[in-house]
Amino acid sequence: MRRITRIATVGIASAALALSATACGGKKSSDASSSPSESGQKSAAIAYDIGGRGDQSFNDAAYAGLKKAETDLKVKTAEAEPTDGEGEADKVQRLTELARKGNNPVIGVGFAYAPAIKKVAPKFPNTTFGIIDDTSVTGPNIANLVFNEEQGSYLAGVAAAKASKTGTVGFIGGVEVPLIKKFEAGFTQGVKDTNPNAKVLSAYLTQPPNFDGFAKPDLGKAAALGQLDAGGADVVYAAAGLAGSGAIEAASSKGKWAIGVDSDQYNQAGLAKYKDSILTSVTKDVEDSVFNLIKSVEDGKPTTGEIRYGLDKGGVGLADSNPKYKEMADVVAAVEKAKADIIAKKITVKTAP
């Protein structure tokens, strides 16, 4: 698999996490190999969000979809990673390069790619552009891959409220943007609907335009330690990309529960040292969303417009990989009931706190 650029390794608070992120490598100039169009092979590409591949979360889920397409559809693939402190012009250049090299589709992983896709997509009308977690930019060749994160987060809130012994749980958002506030809203509602007397501590690591809250595990670790120590929380849910791994490390160090996000983080190799503390994870089927878009292009029927993945179709959910979670019969029963009620529309989950 060819990679276009790579992100500089971010600092991580533990050796295990450092090894995981270092696998992404350092900054590198654009790949000078022949383009897919020159080789005659079909190709698909993704441009990663802040944190890059190796975040054990959002970006890795997108990579899994690209890898599945490479294996199942026999397409050539390309990847492009962000650089530290980059601006919109950098994203425009990255997407333009991927499209010029004949990749189709070209998928931007994360809402930050919206302005760039708005500029680049009209210049390549025969190329399908996908964007994950954004509906603000539309066009005849744009596919908006979006999720009902609030629904999965509601289930996490139910699990947290049932598993908590102190009655206090924590939410950590990477950056205070509308997307992450959906996670907070669903989580808080799930907690309060399960235990009206429960306390939810909420914190955001950074404010836009500073997006370090998605990339720096030390920020996630510090915030989680504050909620666990001073706040008295015994369950912490972080929706913060790579920074969330720091929150997981903190919960593990204190013998408390962490709830993962986007991927089933219990099964992420880079978090194996802390897996026993990962009660569950709110999952988003980013993998299938990427694969399905690539397949639609390969089938000659590119999907465009809004493509929404919700709880009803398994687009979001709550992982049960940790055996300790499965042993909590009351937690599992409460989560399953909440899931059924949301699907039956007996529960409407808020999208803002």
Side-chain angles (χ1 to χ4, degrees), residues 19-331:
L19 288 173
S20 166
T22 305
C24 290
K27 289 181 181 176
K28 195 173 182 180
S29 60
S30 295
D31 190 331
S33 62
S34 63
S35 69
S37 58
E38 291 169 347
S39 66
Q41 271 188 289
K42 294 180 179 180
S43 181
I46 57 176
Y48 290 114
D49 198 7
I50 297 165
R53 176 146 72 88
D55 67 352
Q56 314 297 325
S57 184
F58 185 52
N59 288 296
D60 280 2
Y63 168 72
L66 187 70
K67 189 67 178 177
K68 181 179 178 182
E70 184 181 59
T71 301
D72 294 358
L73 305 178
K74 309 302 179 187
V75 298
K76 191 173 182 180
T77 59
E79 304 166 69
E81 291 191 342
T83 54
D84 293 334
E86 70 176 24
E88 182 184 323
D90 299 290
K91 291 182 173 62
V92 169
Q93 181 179 1
R94 182 176 306 121
L95 296 178
T96 299
E97 180 181 1
L98 290 170
R100 279 179 178 165
K101 288 189 173 183
N103 295 291
N104 188 18
V106 173
I107 303 172
V109 183
F111 63 85
Y113 279 97
I117 285 181
K118 184 176 182 179
K119 289 184 177 180
V120 178
K123 298 178 181 179
F124 297 90
N126 295 322
T127 299
T128 297
F129 288 83
I131 181 165
I132 301 174
D133 286 346
D134 180 84
T135 57
S136 69
V137 56
T138 59
N141 60 332
I142 298 174
N144 307 88
L145 312 177
V146 291
F147 302 82
N148 291 118
E149 295 92 354
E150 72 282 359
Q151 295 178 349
S153 295
Y154 183 98
L155 301 185
V158 173
K162 295 292 287 185
S164 175
K165 292 182 171 59
T166 66
T168 300
V169 301
F171 171 82
I172 297 171
V175 182
E176 192 167 3
V177 292
L179 173 68
I180 304 304
K181 292 185 84 67
K182 286 174 65 180
F183 288 86
E184 179 189 4
F187 180 71
T188 300
Q189 185 181 346
V191 170
K192 292 293 187 177
D193 283 357
T194 305
N195 178 7
N197 296 318
K199 184 177 181 180
V200 181
L201 308 175
S202 293
Y204 284 88
L205 303 180
T206 61
Q207 298 289 324
N210 181 359
F211 287 87
D212 285 351
F214 289 135
K216 296 188 175 182
D218 58 323
L219 297 179
K221 182 178 180 179
L225 287 174
Q227 292 182 343
L228 295 165
D229 290 339
D234 57 354
V235 184
V236 175
Y237 171 41
L242 180 59
S245 59
I248 291 173
E249 181 187 0
S252 177
S253 72
K254 296 295 181 177
K256 306 299 183 182
W257 288 119
I259 295 177
V261 75
D262 291 340
S263 297
D264 183 354
Q265 296 195 294
Y266 179 85
N267 288 324
Q268 292 293 319
L271 297 172
K273 184 176 179 180
Y274 315 110
K275 65 188 297 183
D276 288 343
S277 295
I278 302 174
L279 176 64
T280 181
S281 297
V282 175
T283 57
K284 290 170 58 173
D285 203 355
V286 175
E287 176 180 346
D288 273 2
S289 74
V290 169
F291 175 83
N292 291 339
L293 182 59
I294 295 172
K295 188 176 187 303
S296 76
V297 173
E298 291 301 302
D299 290 343
K301 298 178 180 179
T303 303
T304 57
E306 181 177 310
I307 306 160
R308 182 165 294 279
Y309 293 83
L311 193 60
D312 56 341
K313 297 179 180 178
V316 296
L318 202 67
D320 62 357
S321 299
N322 191 336
K324 294 179 182 177
Y325 172 82
K326 294 178 183 177
E327 292 171 1
M328 299 178 181
D330 58 333
V331 175

